Amino acid sequence: NAGVTQTPKFQVLKTGQSMTLQCAQDMNHEYMSWYRQDPGMGLRLIHYSVGAGITDQGEVPNGYNVSRSTTEDFPLRLLSAAPSQTSVYFCASSYSGVGNQPQHFGDGTRLSIL
Amino acid sequence: DAKTTQPNSMESNEEEPVHLPCNHSTISGTDYIHWYRQLPSQGPEYVIHGLTSNVNNRMASLAIAEDRKSSTLILHRATLRDAAVYYCILNEGGFKTIFGAGTRLFVKA
């Protein structure tokens, strides 16, 4: 099992550019989410999905867009990159939303906005 | 959403047990206590979780106070590979979880 796969691992963008961070999981998990982690801090939830076709906003959704057309994939789109979006982005999945279900994380995408 | 409090950092000697504390005084009856760890340049990794009773798995043990207002992650024999940031979070289901700054564990050889 590959688990949660994120691509690319590193990316440098210029201010105003757009891009899509890819996330795929092969565990047939219903729940998927995107977090960002700034230096020395914990993870903050950007967007999440409880199943194909269903998405919702987390704590810091501004400047990001998501869609969930399949169970496996949950891409994150930066609409117009800003330096404040320089961060490490993690995608996670879990079998369900029940409190005893652990989340499985990818290895992250390190994004720099110049 | 209930939050947790952890020390910023702790230090341990290799081969010795490590007790990582976590306070969660506002925990609700439906909150599960989860622990994750994050190695350098990697995503968080699930370690263990529990509700009321103490739990053991191959990675660690989780001791939960009787009133559930605190818990302790126990690494029985620390190795250099255990040096990481450890997060204690409460999970009541859905996405109502908060990852704080965690405890950075340093392991000395």
Side-chain angles (χ1 to χ4, degrees):
Chain A
N1 270 350
V4 178
T5 303
Q6 292 185 237
T7 56
K9 295 190 184 307
F10 303 92
Q11 184 70 48
V12 179
L13 291 178
K14 294 181 179 179
T15 297
Q17 286 185 316
S18 63
M19 81 159 294
T20 299
L21 279 62
Q22 301 292 343
C23 175
Q25 52 90 10
D26 61 0
M27 297 172 283
N28 202 30
H29 285 173
E30 288 297 321
Y31 277 57
M32 297 187 73
S33 56
W34 277 101
Y35 294 87
R36 62 176 287 174
Q37 184 175 37
D38 298 320
M41 298 181 66
L43 281 72
R44 291 186 291 171
L45 183 64
I46 305 172
H47 283 286
Y48 64 94
S49 170
V50 301
I54 306 169
T55 64
D56 207 345
Q57 296 181 350
E59 179 187 356
V60 289
N62 292 339
Y64 307 96
N65 216 351
V66 293
S67 61
R68 184 98 179 269
S69 56
T70 67
T71 299
E72 295 78 19
D73 300 299
F74 190 42
L76 177 72
R77 280 182 286 278
L78 276 71
L79 308 172
S80 177
S84 61
Q85 294 178 305
T86 293
S87 190
V88 182
Y89 291 84
F90 291 102
C91 178
S93 73
S94 60
Y95 178 71
S96 74
V98 178
N100 64 352
Q101 292 298 311
Q103 293 192 71
H104 301 259
F105 287 84
D107 281 336
T109 293
R110 284 146 186 81
L111 183 62
S112 292
I113 315 294
L114 305 178
Chain B
D1 298 330
K3 294 186 178 180
T4 63
T5 304
Q6 300 177 252
N8 290 334
S9 65
M10 291 186 64
E11 197 172 83
S12 172
N13 294 317
E14 199 176 13
E15 305 287 317
E16 292 184 355
V18 181
H19 290 233
L20 298 165
C22 180
N23 288 318
H24 27 79
S25 58
T26 60
I27 191 171
S28 74
T30 55
D31 282 329
Y32 283 81
I33 302 161
H34 286 242
W35 283 82
Y36 290 79
R37 72 178 186 180
Q38 188 173 22
L39 302 171
S41 300
Q42 293 187 21
E45 174 189 26
Y46 166 78
V47 177
I48 199 167
H49 78 272
L51 184 62
T52 57
S53 304
N54 294 343
V55 185
N56 300 299
N57 67 20
R58 64 175 180 82
M59 292 181 70
S61 295
L62 176 61
I64 301 173
E66 195 168 335
D67 63 5
R68 300 211 324 127
K69 294 186 176 182
S70 65
S71 61
T72 302
L73 180 71
I74 302 166
L75 307 178
H76 295 288
R77 290 180 64 195
T79 70
L80 297 178
R81 290 178 297 175
D82 290 323
V85 177
Y86 288 79
Y87 298 98
C88 166
I89 68 168
L90 302 179
N91 189 355
E92 64 173 300
F95 286 93
K96 300 185 177 106
T97 61
I98 299 174
F99 279 81
T103 297
R104 183 172 295 277
L105 176 65
F106 298 94
V107 180
K108 296 187 298 184

